[in-house]
Amino acid sequence: MHHSPERSRRQQLVRLLAYALRHHPDDFGVSLTPAGWTDLEQFIEQIQRLPKFSSITVDEVEQLLRTSSGQRFELAGSRIRARYGHSVPGIVTGEEREPPERLFHGTSSTSLAHIQSAGLQSMGRCLVHLTSDLSYACRVAGSETSQPLVLRVAARRAHAAGVVFLQASHHVWQTTAVPVTFLTTLLQVGDHAGGIGHPTPSAE
C-alpha cells in the first residue's frame, strides 16, 4: 500500500517527536522538565537542522497534534511534551487518579515467565504502561512481538492495596510496577477467536 506524501511526512514527524521527546532529547539539544515539557519554538529550531524537516513550522506541529487521534503528545502554551512512553530517567507524566476496575497490558509470551515471577516492571521505560482499551493493548502486543500476549490488571484492587496509577491520556495509564497478584493472562493475540490463555498462579 502506498501512502500519500502528506501522510508519510506526518508519520515521519510522529516518529521524530517520539524519538526526541521520549528517548533522546539530548540529540536535539533540548532538555525536558521532570514532567516531560520542553519549549516548542526551541525544539522546532532544532528539528529544522534536519534536511528532511528544514521547512517544518510551529503551525505544522500544532496542526498535527490537533488532528492526531492518539493523544501521544500534548501542547500547553509555548511548551510540548510526550504524554507517556519516556525512557529518559526521572520523567513522570500523568495525573494520579483511581483507575478503572480493569486495565490491560500488551506484551510477549516470551516474557510471561519473568512476569509471573516479578510482576510487571518498567524495564527500559520510566513507568509501566497500561490501557483501558483492550483493542489497543492487542495492537501494541502485535506490533512489538511475533508472540503477542495481553495481560489483564485488576487495577481497582491494586489501587486499593496502595499501587499508584497515573492517567496519561483518555486510555493510557502508568504506574511504577504491578505485583503478580493483580495479573491474569487474558489473551493470546494470535488466537484471533479470542481464546483465553492460561492464567497466572495468582489469577482472579
Side-chain angles (χ1 to χ4, degrees):
M1 179 182 297
H2 296 288
H3 298 307
S4 68
E6 179 181 356
R7 182 176 178 184
S8 295
R9 179 178 173 84
R10 286 171 60 90
Q11 291 174 338
Q12 291 169 356
L13 182 55
V14 167
R15 287 195 291 268
L16 177 63
L17 292 176
Y19 178 90
L21 297 176
R22 290 176 172 176
H23 310 300
H24 300 285
D26 290 347
D27 289 0
F28 294 83
V30 298
S31 59
L32 304 181
T33 71
W37 295 105
T38 194
D39 183 83
L40 176 59
E41 290 192 3
Q42 292 179 8
F43 180 50
I44 296 300
E45 289 176 1
Q46 296 301 317
I47 293 177
Q48 289 170 340
R49 298 174 183 269
L50 301 174
K52 185 179 294 186
F53 293 101
S54 60
S55 63
I56 195 76
T57 65
V58 170
D59 286 344
E60 185 175 351
V61 174
E62 291 178 340
Q63 174 67 12
L64 173 69
L65 270 58
R66 280 196 300 269
T67 57
S68 174
S69 61
Q71 290 194 320
R72 286 174 282 185
F73 307 100
E74 181 179 10
L75 290 171
S78 62
R79 302 183 300 168
I80 186 173
R81 72 171 176 177
R83 289 179 181 268
Y84 53 87
H86 300 85
S87 61
V88 179
I91 303 296
V92 177
T93 59
E95 299 295 326
E96 183 176 340
R97 293 196 174 108
E98 182 179 11
E101 183 177 354
R102 292 181 177 86
L103 293 170
F104 305 97
H105 178 79
T107 185
S108 168
S109 296
T110 58
S111 300
L112 184 57
H114 176 76
I115 293 171
Q116 287 176 323
S117 173
L120 282 177
Q121 304 291 323
S122 60
M123 309 306 286
R125 302 295 176 99
C126 296
L127 297 167
V128 176
H129 293 86
L130 309 166
T131 180
S132 56
D133 184 342
L134 176 57
S135 63
Y136 177 81
C138 292
R139 291 197 301 273
V140 168
S143 68
E144 297 290 336
T145 174
S146 61
Q147 301 181 57
L149 177 75
V150 172
L151 300 175
R152 181 173 61 205
V153 179
R156 192 71 59 78
R157 284 205 297 113
H159 181 263
V163 177
V164 174
F165 290 87
L166 304 171
Q167 187 172 17
S169 75
H170 71 278
H171 70 90
V172 174
W173 293 75
Q174 303 180 112
T175 188
T176 54
V178 180
V180 69
T181 189
F182 302 112
L183 303 176
T184 303
T185 305
L186 176 65
L187 178 70
Q188 299 284 350
V189 178
D191 300 338
H192 296 292
I196 302 300
H198 296 293
T200 66
S202 54
E204 294 178 278

